[in-house]
Amino acid sequence: MSFADLTTIHVGGPVGRLVEATTSQELVDAVRSADAAGTPVLVIGGGSNLLVGDDGFDGTVVRVATSGLRVEGTRMHVDAGVEWDLVVRTALDHGLAGIEALSGIPGSTGGTPVQNVGAYGASTSDWLESVTVLDRESGEVEVWDNARCGFGSHRSSAFKYTDRYVVVDVTFALRRSAESAPVRYAALAERLGVRIGESVSAREVRDAVIALRTDRGMVWDEAEHDSWSVGSFFLNPIVSSVPPEALGSPQFTDPKGIKLSAAWLIEHAGFSRGYGERVGTGRATLSTRHVLAVTNRGGASAADVTALASHVRAGVQEKYGITLTPECRLVNCTLD
Ligand SMILES: Cc1cc2nc3c(=O)[nH]c(=O)nc-3n(C[C@H](O)[C@H](O)[C@H](O)COP(=O)(O)OP(=O)(O)OC[C@H]3O[C@@H](n4cnc5c(N)ncnc54)[C@H](O)[C@@H]3O)c2cc1C
């Protein structure tokens, strides 16, 4: 078994020891016993935000395969292993609105608080009520409310950039309504023919989001190499002042500064869709539909992916003096 089998980008070397946890107790026990034995642990959900090097990971890989999903009134209690899009579909089937703009994002529910998954103006943190976590330092299982999770606007949380916590389950508090949450994203509003701040049916929002995502190769599809990726490879950078060369980039206000569009910077640094055929082996290229996704065209290694990502990052750095930060988790591999 290799990480190429466990990740959406289909790269990465051998898996040390694989444990599949099908109940929350198995998940907690598997991590606790590996910790007690002093073995390195890597928790993996859908493998859609993970890039593992060609040497793999020599430790215990705990794959979260839990499946409990309970709807109680307007609350959804979801085990970490449940496919995220199943949660969105179930919410709509129960007449619950809020998370419809997060339709079509691959991966597990346990992965959503890790990077405060977001899209089309919505974020996990808008609707997450609490998370059950295993704290690997104390060995205790605790319930954290939303405020404690340290969610930030920049795809961040207390669970990102640390292996200390394992997400066991998540509770979402939604709204009983056939109407969507207010539409907050320009391209989505345009697709729906509404103004920002207006609502339409939640199902219409889901359909429009799936259509937009499909256009960009952002719906996971085994047959579609543009989706053999980790999603957006780089975060939108936050700067204190905008370099003159980057003044044309879309700009968003952020508590930490001015957020620029990584896609705009990449494109205007000379990297167009599909770029990469002449870089290294050419087996990793930018998506042919979206410059922010680094994709495996078939047979790419992790080294191919990091070589292209490093090359693009260097080009952006040279043009604007801005260093892009990877959004995904890198394990046993780095960018130059
Ligand atoms: C085609 C495509 C489109 C995407 N679009 C978006 C998008 O629109 N918005 C967005 O935000 N992201 C997007 N992503 C990225 C990805 O889908 C999300 O980050 C997703 O939530 C990752 O979940 P996962 O289960 O696949 O995590 P994995 O890839 O398995 O793991 C990612 C990280 O989370 C940790 N982790 C996973 N599960 C747990 C757990 N239970 N407890 C503790 N840590 C855990 C892992 O250790 C690792 O560090 C996209 C990815 C792809 C391939």
Side-chain angles (χ1 to χ4, degrees):
M1 171 78 67
S2 79
F3 283 95
D5 304 311
L6 295 179
T7 58
T8 51
I9 195 166
H10 287 316
V11 304
V15 172
R17 174 173 166 260
L18 181 67
V19 177
E20 194 140 302
T22 57
T23 66
S24 295
Q25 194 58 52
E26 279 176 19
L27 173 59
V28 169
D29 290 347
V31 176
R32 275 186 183 149
S33 66
D35 283 346
T39 320
V41 173
L42 177 63
V43 173
I44 178 169
S48 62
N49 205 26
L50 191 61
L51 180 63
V52 183
D54 295 312
D55 291 337
F57 179 79
D58 188 16
T60 300
V61 175
V62 179
R63 203 171 85 82
V64 187
T66 51
S67 56
L69 199 177
R70 203 158 35 88
V71 181
E72 258 177 21
T74 54
R75 287 198 168 73
M76 295 184 81
H77 306 280
V78 191
D79 283 353
V82 175
E83 178 210 350
W84 169 249
D85 200 51
L86 174 63
V87 179
V88 180
R89 296 195 305 270
T90 306
L92 292 174
D93 288 345
H94 283 77
L96 299 176
I99 52 178
E100 55 280 349
L102 299 174
S103 291
I105 299 178
S108 67
T109 302
T112 61
V114 173
Q115 72 149 352
N116 190 15
V117 157
Y120 297 100
S123 293
T124 306
S125 56
D126 300 339
W127 303 97
L128 180 146
E129 184 173 67
S130 63
V131 185
T132 305
V133 294
L134 166 66
D135 179 348
R136 293 175 59 200
E137 231 167 80
S138 67
E140 296 297 322
V141 173
E142 301 169 348
V143 178
W144 288 20
D145 65 13
N146 183 306
R148 192 171 166 192
C149 296
F151 291 124
S153 64
H154 205 44
R155 302 273 80 84
S156 62
S157 76
F159 314 115
K160 187 137 180 172
Y161 305 123
T162 172
D163 280 328
R164 179 169 167 182
Y165 304 106
V166 178
V167 175
V168 177
D169 61 52
V170 187
T171 296
F172 296 93
L174 304 179
R175 216 165 35 85
R176 182 160 303 288
S177 173
E179 288 238 309
S180 71
V183 174
R184 293 201 209 125
Y185 196 85
L188 179 58
E190 193 184 325
R191 182 103 187 186
L192 289 163
V194 298
R195 281 196 294 266
I196 296 279
E198 288 182 355
S199 293
V200 292
S201 96
R203 281 196 187 276
E204 256 182 89
V205 168
R206 174 177 171 79
D207 292 347
V209 165
I210 296 279
L212 284 166
R213 296 185 69 91
T214 304
D215 287 350
R216 295 178 176 196
M218 280 294 185
V219 172
W220 162 246
D221 176 356
E222 182 69 37
E224 168 61 85
H225 279 279
D226 277 332
S227 76
W228 286 30
S229 73
V230 292
S232 301
F233 197 93
F234 294 109
L235 290 166
N236 288 327
I238 295 176
V239 294
S240 50
S241 64
V242 182
E245 301 79 7
L247 281 171
S249 163
Q251 299 180 19
F252 312 93
T253 47
D254 185 276
K256 291 188 183 146
I258 304 159
K259 194 188 275 185
L260 301 177
S261 159
W264 188 96
L265 297 175
I266 289 170
E267 215 154 0
H268 289 80
F271 304 107
S272 51
R273 295 174 190 185
Y275 180 89
E277 279 177 357
R278 291 198 192 85
V279 179
T281 64
R283 287 194 282 253
T285 72
L286 300 185
S287 161
T288 65
R289 305 187 202 185
H290 187 0
V291 293
L292 206 42
V294 177
T295 63
N296 175 0
R297 308 318 291 184
S301 62
D304 292 330
V305 172
T306 53
L308 178 64
S310 302
H311 176 79
V312 168
R313 182 161 83 158
V316 168
Q317 163 73 40
E318 194 183 321
K319 173 133 191 192
Y320 311 103
I322 294 172
T323 306
L324 296 176
T325 304
E327 179 181 303
C328 60
R329 167 86 187 272
L330 301 177
V331 175
N332 290 339
C333 60
T334 50
L335 302 195
D336 298 332

